[in-house]
Amino acid sequence: MLSSQDTDSSIRQTDTDAALARFSAVQKGYLQDPYIKPFVPRSHLQPPRPPLINIGTFVRATAIDDLVFQWLQNSTNQGTRCQIVSLGAGSDTRFWRIATGAHKDALAAYVELDFPEITTKKAMAIRKSKELSAVLGSPADVAVAHGGTGLTSPTYHLIAADLRLPPADTLARLLAAEGSPILSPTLPTLLLFECVLVYMSPAASSAVLQWFRDYFAPARSAVLGSIVYEMFRLQDSFGRVMVENLKARQVSLPGAAPYPDAASLPGRFLNLGFTAAHALTLKEIRKSYIPPAELERISHLELVDELEELDLVLEHYAITWGLFVPPSVAGSAAADGWSQWGLSAKKVSEPVDEDE
Ligand SMILES: C[S@@+](CC[C@H](N)C(=O)[O-])C[C@H]1O[C@@H](n2cnc3c(N)ncnc32)[C@H](O)[C@@H]1O
């Protein structure tokens, strides 16, 4: 019988996999990310990932970047700044890419949450790297927080938390403490869950989403958006193999149980009273939601002859996004602007076979 310590350490290990996958996609030319290297220990020794993994990483990153940049752009269009909270952020570099990019002025706060073991390691990597720490502000503005498990700076906050604990004991205390809240309930706020909720029970995930929805609810004046990326459809034969492979590494995926097919995915948000929700599989996104010029560019990077297998992998991963517009905002011009938020097709889909 495995202790919860063992299984938690296997879950934390998935961050190394995610960072290595991103590093590989960058090395092979799929993505650009000048900030990933300090987060990949002994990066020169890391072998590249197979082409299928690189393409999956590219599709996922391109689509999530699209949604995040639309959020930043929309906030700017509405004359406001916004907040982003990345839950289970691991070694993600998105904050640095935004803070040094065209939309840097749109960001009022960027918060990252993860287990203390991960945030401690990340805080050390940031402090060790001149490139990473310079983006946070002048040294006087950056402070180590919570006994070395976190960092605070004018915009960026790295915070240790176990997302399975009741949000009243964690999120409320860490993000919304009276007198010094990190998050303002009056700014458009985007939640990112990249491959994290799948490791938690559906009840614990709902509690996290509900806490955020309530923080931005009726009396408040800001919209809440959320993006979830993870595996689903694990009941079919390919899905069962994925589950078995992860089980062998002591990782289980309780969060995937309510999502046997693509139609079930938006329910994650709609069942909690979100105003709108949509989901697309990575297979659909690759076919129709990536700029054709980008698809053409990456087609020259590596030889891929297992296209059927690629589709099979990609149809077991999805991006779901949900929007909560509080009643006080509904019906306004701002609400109209936010209702456009989402991925849109970049080209006409090729006909999909009936049996796909
Ligand atoms: C697959 S990694 C993804 C990292 C990052 N979001 C990305 O996409 O590159 C999953 C992350 O979620 C974190 N995580 C999983 N369960 C968590 C929990 N209950 N509380 C806090 N973090 C958790 C893990 O520690 C790990 O860093």
Side-chain angles (χ1 to χ4, degrees):
M1 182 87 182
L2 288 167
S3 71
S4 64
Q5 245 178 1
D6 291 331
T7 50
D8 282 4
S9 114
S10 307
I11 291 172
R12 286 192 292 271
Q13 182 62 29
T14 64
D15 175 47
T16 305
D17 299 336
L20 286 177
R22 186 165 181 88
F23 183 70
S24 168
V26 169
Q27 293 289 89
K28 287 285 174 187
Y30 288 88
L31 299 172
Q32 286 196 340
D33 186 347
Y35 300 105
I36 183 73
K37 215 168 167 191
F39 293 122
V40 182
R42 290 175 298 174
S43 49
H44 59 287
L45 300 177
Q46 303 299 338
R49 292 297 192 232
L52 296 194
I53 305 279
N54 290 331
I55 295 173
T57 304
F58 165 81
V59 173
R60 154 208 181 166
T62 305
I64 296 179
D65 281 353
D66 186 349
L67 286 168
V68 171
F69 285 117
Q70 282 184 44
W71 192 268
L72 293 161
Q73 183 64 56
N74 219 2
S75 302
T76 306
N77 294 348
Q78 317 256 341
T80 178
R81 292 193 299 158
C82 66
Q83 311 175 121
I84 297 181
V85 186
S86 175
L87 299 104
S91 305
D92 190 31
T93 59
R94 179 163 275 109
F95 165 73
W96 287 268
R97 288 179 280 124
I98 296 176
T100 54
H103 294 288
K104 62 179 189 303
D105 296 331
L107 213 47
Y110 196 105
V111 182
E112 294 192 322
L113 298 162
D114 209 303
F115 284 121
E117 291 83 350
I118 299 283
T119 55
T120 303
K121 207 172 69 171
K122 188 163 194 173
M124 283 199 297
I126 295 169
R127 293 173 64 216
K128 246 174 76 183
S129 156
K130 275 201 198 102
E131 286 93 346
L132 295 176
S133 47
V135 179
L136 266 47
S138 71
D141 287 337
V142 183
V144 174
H146 303 290
T149 61
L151 282 181
T152 57
S153 74
T155 308
Y156 176 78
H157 306 269
L158 176 65
I159 302 174
D162 181 342
L163 300 169
R164 297 167 299 190
L165 298 177
D169 301 339
T170 51
L171 301 178
R173 190 170 49 78
L174 296 168
L175 303 178
E178 221 164 292
S180 57
I182 288 181
L183 287 183
S184 159
T186 62
L187 292 178
T189 300
L190 179 61
L191 312 177
L192 301 177
F193 298 95
E194 282 192 65
C195 219
V196 52
L197 295 180
V198 75
Y199 304 115
M200 296 166 41
S201 72
S205 295
S206 294
V208 170
L209 281 172
Q210 240 160 337
W211 183 85
F212 279 101
R213 186 207 58 193
D214 292 346
Y215 189 59
F216 291 87
R220 326 289 185 170
S221 54
V223 295
L224 176 69
S226 181
I227 301 171
V228 174
Y229 159 78
E230 61 193 28
M231 44 288 233
F232 76 110
R233 194 181 274 156
L234 300 185
Q235 287 85 345
D236 71 8
S237 51
F238 185 85
R240 287 201 299 272
V241 173
M242 280 170 78
V243 169
E244 285 309 312
N245 288 345
L246 283 164
K247 214 186 249 170
R249 294 176 48 191
Q250 300 164 13
V251 175
S252 65
L253 306 173
Y259 308 108
D261 52 32
S264 58
L265 291 166
R268 175 195 293 284
F269 295 116
L270 298 176
N271 295 341
L272 294 177
F274 275 61
T275 320
H278 304 275
L280 287 168
T281 67
L282 289 199
K283 177 180 165 184
E284 292 170 307
I285 295 173
R286 176 173 165 271
K287 275 212 157 78
S288 310
Y289 293 79
I290 303 284
E294 274 292 273
L295 284 181
E296 163 67 14
R297 180 183 70 78
I298 68 154
S299 71
H300 302 294
L301 297 177
E302 290 183 288
L303 195 64
V304 187
D305 35 34
E306 320 97 329
L307 280 177
E308 265 177 40
E309 198 185 334
L310 175 65
D311 273 350
L312 193 59
V313 176
L314 296 188
E315 71 188 7
H316 285 82
Y317 289 84
I319 295 177
T320 311
W321 64 98
L323 184 71
F324 173 68
V325 180
S328 53
V329 182
S332 64
D336 269 3
W338 288 109
S339 67
Q340 311 293 320
W341 177 63
L343 295 177
S344 50
K346 305 290 189 278
K347 63 168 187 174
V348 180
S349 312
E350 290 152 28
V352 176
D353 291 344
E354 280 293 290
D355 58 350
E356 279 189 26

